[in-house]
Amino acid sequence: LNPKAKERTETTVTVQWDQNAKDPKDLTSIRYELVVPVEGATATVMPLSDEQISACEAKIENLEPGTNYKFTLLFGKSGSRGVVTAWTRTDTEGMNVIDSAEGLYNAINGATGDVKLVLAYNEGAVYDMSAYAVVGNEGLYEPFTVACNLAIYGEATGEGQMPVVKGFSLKTAAGCGSLHFEEVVLDGANLCGVLATTGGSNMTDVEFVNMEM
């Protein structure tokens, strides 16, 4: 039935399926479970109401923020009619929201300590960092030096479209122990890589979650 994630929040995912498919009313429930199992976690089966079946969508609630789930449409107890995976959003309340390339550059340039940023989607406008990059050997961009624990979360749309950062790569320095990128697209534009480390860096944790490079 070609299920897809229509909307996502920190604790909910709305799954929608094809109403033009054969016998959509044969559905009885949705099973949801962690994509990466953890000890003690089990799958949950949520019965579908007549209203949800008629609308060809259902909201699954009480999920954990920033978690990847697998949703399976079921006919009866085990007959699968389609599978989709989707991340719930990370709780970004209180984080600094960035809406321009200049804002992103200013937020990380010379920063220390813990820096957590949210990149606004801005109707798909690209964060072009080329104006702030130094051109090095062979015309390639030099990476931006980061001396903080940096986390960047994209403000993705319900359809999964993510903010795009162009010409952006990082070189970690002393003071940078962790990097986290989530729901963003890093476009090197064939002019830079993504990450380099230096001898002075105390990097211990690097995470790339639900993103593209």
Side-chain angles (χ1 to χ4, degrees):
L1 293 178
N2 303 313
K4 64 180 181 179
K6 177 184 176 184
E7 295 176 349
R8 299 174 298 118
T9 70
E10 288 88 350
T11 59
T12 70
V13 172
T14 299
V15 176
Q16 185 180 62
W17 53 92
D18 188 358
Q19 58 183 326
N20 295 319
K22 183 180 179 180
D23 298 326
K25 295 185 181 301
D26 284 347
L27 290 179
T28 54
S29 57
I30 292 181
R31 182 177 65 231
Y32 59 96
E33 56 200 307
L34 299 175
V35 170
V36 180
V38 297
E39 186 176 354
T42 58
T44 301
V45 176
M46 183 184 82
L48 293 172
S49 67
D50 291 340
E51 291 78 9
Q52 290 170 326
I53 294 173
S54 296
C56 294
E57 67 177 54
K59 178 185 287 187
I60 295 87
E61 302 178 308
N62 300 318
L63 304 176
E64 292 295 323
T67 303
N68 196 12
Y69 287 90
K70 180 173 73 172
F71 303 90
T72 305
L73 300 177
L74 294 177
F75 168 63
K77 293 184 178 181
S78 59
S80 172
R81 299 297 301 275
V83 176
V84 63
T85 61
W87 288 81
T88 50
R89 296 189 185 279
T90 295
D91 184 0
T92 57
E93 184 176 357
M95 294 185 190
N96 187 17
V97 179
I98 303 296
D99 61 6
S100 67
E102 180 182 11
L104 177 57
Y105 175 75
N106 290 335
I108 64 175
N109 185 39
T112 58
D114 295 331
V115 176
K116 295 183 178 182
L117 308 172
V118 178
L119 291 188
Y121 180 65
N122 282 351
E123 298 182 351
V126 174
Y127 292 76
D128 189 349
M129 302 299 290
S130 59
Y132 309 95
V134 175
V135 179
N137 295 333
E138 300 179 359
L140 301 179
Y141 293 160
E142 295 289 341
F144 297 95
T145 299
V146 177
C148 62
N149 299 318
L150 178 63
I152 296 179
Y153 301 88
E155 194 176 68
T157 69
E159 293 75 29
Q161 296 168 304
M162 299 178 284
V164 177
V165 185
K166 184 179 179 181
F168 184 64
S169 65
L170 299 176
K171 179 174 67 176
T172 62
C176 181
S178 64
L179 291 173
H180 181 100
F181 291 89
E182 185 168 330
E183 295 197 324
V184 296
V185 177
L186 298 182
D187 179 6
N190 295 321
L191 292 171
C192 64
V194 174
L195 177 63
T197 59
T198 65
S201 172
N202 58 339
M203 177 69 63
T204 59
D205 188 19
V206 179
E207 291 182 310
F208 297 100
V209 178
N210 194 29
M211 59 167 292
E212 299 176 12
M213 291 184 284

